[in-house]
């Protein structure tokens, strides 16, 4: 009931990728409804980042954390089905409307708003998931290697995990 409705609403309202929906999921399942704790949410985010597939899979994790397998299925259906139905509904008209100046202008605004939501996600995760200077160093190092040295996301994530473990072994910063 509530789980499917919450993720259906998010799946129907989000424009953009997983980084855009994350602040929405956080606000809904942690802040507003208290379905999971902040710690469980951040754990789900971390696990989702380590796995292949879209970031929307965090919905599956949260659903499982709340209601087990049934919750995972409900949350997954809720987050993925609205966008899928929207795409299928627009597909027959896409060739005709994609060249429309008004549609292009609206999509430009949607992209700008999505960029703002990505910045909101960045703020939430920077303030919630970096508990100490060691974690901050891993964050900055990961940003550096991915942007300056063009490391792939999997290589960056794996190196971040290794760095966190090494810092833990050296007793620098404690467990993240």
């Amino acid at each position: 009931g509530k789980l499917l409705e919450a993720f259906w609403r998010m799946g129907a309202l989000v424009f953009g990728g997983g980084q855009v929906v994350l602040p929405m999921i956080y606000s809904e399942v942690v802040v507003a409804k208290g379905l999971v704790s902040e710690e469980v949410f951040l754990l789900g985010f971390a696990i989702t980042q380590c796995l292949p597939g879209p970031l929307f899979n965090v919905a599956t994790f949260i659903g499982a954390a709340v209601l087990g397998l049934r919750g995972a299925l409900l949350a997954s259906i809720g987050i993925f089905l609205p966008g899928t139905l929207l795409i299928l509904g627009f597909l027959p008209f896409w060739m005709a409307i994609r060249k429309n100046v008004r549609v292009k202008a609206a999509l430009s605004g949607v992209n700008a708003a999505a960029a703002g939501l990505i910045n909101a996600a960045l703020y939430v995760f920077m303030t919630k998931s970096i508990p100490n200077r060691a974690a901050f160093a891993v964050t900055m190092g990961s940003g550096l290697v991915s942007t300056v040295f063009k490391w792939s996301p999997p290589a960056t994530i794996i190196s971040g995990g290794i760095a966190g473990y090494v810092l833990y072994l050296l007793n620098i910063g404690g467990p993240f």
Side-chain angles (χ1 to χ4, degrees):
K2 289 182 185 178
L3 195 65
L4 177 62
E5 180 270 328
F7 282 102
W8 184 278
R9 192 167 11 85
M10 288 182 268
L13 296 176
V14 72
F15 289 87
Q19 291 76 7
V20 175
V21 80
L22 280 173
M24 193 182 261
I25 294 174
Y26 178 82
S27 294
E28 185 75 21
V29 303
V30 176
V31 178
K33 289 193 171 44
L35 295 174
V36 295
S37 68
E38 187 173 277
E39 182 180 358
V40 168
F41 179 83
L42 292 173
L43 176 64
F45 174 69
I47 290 171
T48 304
Q49 290 293 89
C50 294
L51 298 173
L55 199 49
F56 278 37
N57 286 338
V58 76
T60 305
F61 176 88
I62 291 168
V66 174
L67 290 174
L69 180 60
R70 181 173 173 258
L73 291 171
L74 289 172
S76 297
I77 289 167
I79 200 84
F80 286 108
L81 192 56
T84 303
L85 293 175
L86 190 61
I87 288 170
L88 292 174
F90 268 105
L91 205 51
F93 309 104
W94 180 244
M95 294 308 280
I97 65 172
R98 74 181 191 154
K99 296 177 185 170
N100 184 302
V101 175
R102 291 182 184 112
V103 171
K104 284 183 178 182
L107 289 176
S108 178
V110 167
N111 284 336
L117 288 173
I118 290 170
N119 284 318
L122 174 66
Y123 175 77
V124 166
F125 292 102
M126 290 286 284
T127 59
K128 303 291 182 186
S129 64
I130 302 176
N132 54 49
R133 291 179 183 176
F136 183 76
V138 172
T139 301
M140 293 296 106
S142 297
L144 178 74
V145 298
S146 69
T147 56
V148 175
F149 299 108
K150 308 293 186 216
W151 283 21
S152 68
T156 303
I157 290 169
I158 290 168
S159 68
I162 292 168
Y165 184 69
V166 168
L167 290 169
Y168 167 76
L169 291 177
L170 296 172
N171 201 24
I172 300 173
F176 297 15

